[in-house]
Amino acid sequence: MKFNRKNESSDIFGSDAMRKPAPKEFIPKHRTPAETAYQMVKDETFPQTQPRLNLATFVTTYMDDYGTRLMNEAVGINYIDETEYPRVAVMCGRCINMVANMWNSPEQSEWKTGAVGIGSSEACMLGGVAAWLRWRERRKAEGKAYDKPNLVMSSAYQVVWEKFCQLWQIEMRTVPLTQDHPTLNIEEAIRMCDENTICIVPIEGVTWTGLNDDVEALDAALDAYNKKTGYDIPIHVDAASGGFILPFLNPGKKWDFRLKWVCSISTSGHKYGLVYPGLGWIIWRDKNYLPKDMSFSVNYLGASITQVGLNFSRPAAQILAQYYNFIHLGMEGYRDIHENSMDVAAYCHKEIGSMPCFRNYSGRLENPLFVWYMDEEYDKTAKWTLFDLQDSLMQKGWMVPAYTMPKDIEDMVVMRIVVRQGMSRDMADMLVQDIKDSVAELEKLQYPTPTRIAAEKESSQKGKVYTH
Ligand SMILES: *Cc1c(COP(=O)(O)O)cnc(C)c1O
């Protein structure tokens, strides 16, 4: 396959390449001019939706011009080349300090104990591994078996915890989410603990619901349990979203290192830390909670800095952008942006929740995201499902996902909106109008849609009755 121009002066869209299929299996034998190759690759992404209309993702889709410029200018920098770019490591250390202090770290040393990751996933893995190794060390020292570690969290976990448990062969004990317990059921969580529990993982900003697990109540219950049993089961908080929301919008709420048993916290810098992907952070309570086996020290920064991570090479641009955001926005700027997101989310929550066909999953709005479902009465005669609404909104450019809830309430189909920087009230008005228009169209249907027929087939097998 040869993608050369017909002659020197033909335009990109007059070239051979533009009327041939793109390479799929083999590296082409010959060259293609850079501008033509660029056009082909660029156009692959052309039919995608506008990133800011994607209300499914938690990840940053808007940064200001200076932040974007810094990242573009740093695109070739490898974070791990510390001897070449020592200042990157220093900025990373400063970010770790700032995140640790934002979460009320009790650690007094100049450099707090933490690590940068590609996202929360890497940060959660590191937190999980540290908890597992600490538990193993203790068991070994006590001369006890250390071959059956387990971890306790709610069934509304993000998929990374399933990966962690699979990859490190940790038994995962999940507390079901129920309609009475829309967040982690603490009594039930404590009941699932035993001498082999490496940690409990509450979530701040639950992916499925937008709610927060009550870490303060968990800490109190765990304190009593640990006292009674002599165990010292710790807490790792998965604060992928909440870690960058609570310190600005609800600084009085105790969920972080102010609580006794919280020994590590992870977050995504690329979610409400407002940096383009991929960036995550993990902070430990102090250096005693980070097993020595996981860290290696460097001393060419004027102090000894601890380094931990699953990846070796990684882009540095996100670290620069995080440091830029901290300087530029300050506490005040983060608060303003997240307050706006909360306001816009609250507006959508109210508008959508007051439509006769919908019910909000929770009356509370703890983070700028929420889920809703179809009103049960309305559902009995509806000819459409939320999956049809998702399709209809997609045609209008919006990505608003419909999905089934985790096990035990997996019959429940919900729809979710995540409001982030870049979603204004005006856009929310457009969205709400588009939802109303879509529903009006769906209500005109004479016959049930394929997803409705499938849903009814499934529920009639389970004994639910629908009428048409
Ligand atoms: C997004 C998320 C993760 C995974 O984070 P990435 O940054 O995408 O790797 C883990 N836990 C929760 C609760 C999340 O919301």
Side-chain angles (χ1 to χ4, degrees):
M1 193 152 32
K2 199 161 179 170
F3 284 145
N4 284 337
R5 294 174 179 203
K6 284 181 188 154
N7 59 53
E8 276 307 298
S9 63
S10 62
D11 295 306
I12 291 180
F13 283 96
S15 67
D16 279 355
M18 291 299 152
R19 54 185 168 79
K20 287 186 176 167
K24 286 186 187 69
E25 287 181 86
F26 301 101
I27 300 173
K29 194 162 179 193
H30 300 288
R31 300 181 169 88
T32 301
E35 47 189 337
T36 310
Y38 170 86
Q39 190 72 41
M40 290 176 71
V41 176
K42 185 81 186 165
D43 289 354
E44 284 282 335
T45 65
F46 194 58
Q48 290 173 184
T49 61
Q50 293 291 324
R52 282 167 57 199
L53 301 186
N54 179 355
L55 304 182
T57 184
F58 289 72
V59 175
T60 300
T61 45
Y62 168 88
M63 280 187 73
D64 69 24
D65 287 345
Y66 285 103
T68 308
R69 207 165 102 189
L70 271 173
M71 288 190 74
N72 285 336
E73 289 165 0
V75 74
I77 300 181
N78 183 3
Y79 158 78
I80 210 72
D81 284 337
E82 291 194 346
T83 38
E84 190 180 351
Y85 309 110
R87 300 311 296 178
V88 171
V90 172
M91 284 188 275
C92 185
R94 289 176 181 172
C95 285
I96 287 171
N97 281 349
M98 290 180 194
V99 173
N101 284 323
M102 175 172 81
W103 293 337
N104 300 290
S105 161
E107 193 169 16
Q108 291 303 317
S109 59
E110 184 188 357
W111 300 102
K112 310 288 185 234
T113 307
V116 64
I118 287 292
S120 273
S121 300
E122 188 181 357
C124 292
M125 291 272 178
L126 293 170
V129 170
W132 169 55
L133 291 178
R134 290 196 310 263
W135 168 85
R136 210 177 61 161
E137 273 314 295
R138 210 170 45 243
R139 298 285 294 176
K140 273 187 187 168
E142 293 167 353
K144 292 179 177 155
Y146 50 90
D147 57 343
K148 289 195 171 59
N150 70 67
L151 172 149
V152 173
M153 69 188 306
S154 101
S155 63
Y157 58 81
Q158 208 268 357
V159 67
V160 63
W161 292 104
E162 214 173 327
K163 293 185 192 171
F164 167 72
C165 289
Q166 265 299 338
L167 296 178
W168 271 271
Q169 290 293 291
I170 312 282
E171 182 199 344
M172 192 177 198
R173 297 185 177 173
T174 57
V175 184
L177 217 63
T178 60
Q179 272 163 354
D180 298 336
H181 282 282
T183 60
L184 178 70
N185 179 340
I186 288 163
E187 269 173 42
E188 203 50 47
I190 297 285
R191 205 168 300 142
M192 284 185 184
C193 290
D194 58 28
E195 58 183 348
N196 292 319
T197 302
I198 63 168
C199 65
I200 303 187
V201 183
I203 305 166
E204 295 304 89
V206 176
T207 330
W208 300 75
T209 63
L211 299 175
N212 294 330
D213 289 338
D214 188 346
V215 191
E216 191 171 11
L218 175 66
D219 187 70
L222 197 54
D223 194 46
Y225 178 78
N226 282 337
K227 269 203 188 92
K228 192 179 79 186
T229 55
Y231 306 154
D232 48 4
I233 299 174
I235 296 172
H236 172 90
V237 186
D238 177 354
S241 302
F244 268 107
I245 292 174
L246 289 167
F248 307 109
L249 297 189
N250 201 351
K253 182 183 154 83
K254 288 197 182 131
W255 64 277
D256 56 16
F257 293 116
R258 284 168 288 185
L259 301 174
K260 179 174 170 188
W261 293 98
V262 171
C263 62
S264 51
I265 305 174
S266 53
T267 196
S268 298
H270 59 212
K271 290 184 179 173
Y272 289 90
L274 305 178
V275 175
Y276 284 137
L279 184 68
W281 302 105
I282 172 155
I283 308 291
W284 283 274
R285 191 173 191 89
D286 63 49
K287 62 179 185 334
N288 299 321
Y289 290 85
L290 175 62
K292 296 220 166 29
D293 301 354
M294 286 175 67
S295 61
F296 60 95
S297 286
V298 293
N299 60 4
Y300 41 77
L301 301 168
S304 180
I305 288 189
T306 305
Q307 287 216 313
V308 182
L310 299 180
N311 261 76
F312 188 63
S313 298
R314 61 148 291 145
Q318 293 81 356
I319 298 166
L320 271 57
Q322 184 78 81
Y323 190 48
Y324 163 77
N325 274 351
F326 287 160
I327 298 172
H328 167 57
L329 296 172
M331 294 297 288
E332 192 179 61
Y334 269 102
R335 192 178 56 234
D336 286 350
I337 289 167
H338 293 342
E339 253 168 18
N340 278 2
S341 295
M342 277 304 277
D343 272 8
V344 171
Y347 172 72
C348 296
H349 186 252
K350 182 174 81 46
E351 288 294 313
I352 290 168
S354 61
M355 289 177 69
C357 51
F358 299 137
R359 283 273 177 278
N360 284 323
Y361 177 77
S362 172
R364 285 178 290 160
L365 195 68
E366 299 183 327
N367 293 291
L369 66 127
F370 64 95
V371 300
W372 71 91
Y373 55 94
M374 202 178 259
D375 176 79
E376 275 154 357
E377 279 307 306
Y378 184 95
D379 191 47
K380 286 181 184 160
T381 56
K383 297 191 174 59
W384 54 282
T385 67
L386 293 177
F387 295 104
D388 300 309
L389 180 57
Q390 171 183 323
D391 286 347
S392 172
L393 290 172
M394 187 117 67
Q395 286 167 22
K396 297 178 164 101
W398 302 101
M399 182 62 221
V400 182
Y403 56 91
T404 52
M405 291 290 265
K407 74 168 191 303
D408 295 305
I409 47 170
E410 73 268 31
D411 284 347
M412 189 176 198
V413 177
V414 297
M415 208 161 197
R416 183 181 73 193
I417 285 180
V418 179
V419 176
R420 305 178 304 276
Q421 173 171 226
M423 175 84 177
S424 62
R425 164 61 192 264
D426 187 39
M427 288 167 70
D429 276 322
M430 294 190 267
L431 172 70
V432 168
Q433 192 56 52
D434 283 341
I435 291 176
K436 287 180 177 164
D437 292 348
S438 291
V439 168
E441 282 301 310
L442 290 165
E443 284 182 340
K444 285 186 203 147
L445 290 174
Q446 283 198 317
Y447 302 102
T449 62
T451 69
R452 168 55 65 174
I453 293 169
E456 285 178 21
K457 211 184 224 166
E458 201 168 290
S459 54
S460 72
Q461 284 160 359
K462 288 181 182 165
K464 259 205 211 169
V465 187
Y466 285 86
T467 49
H468 272 293

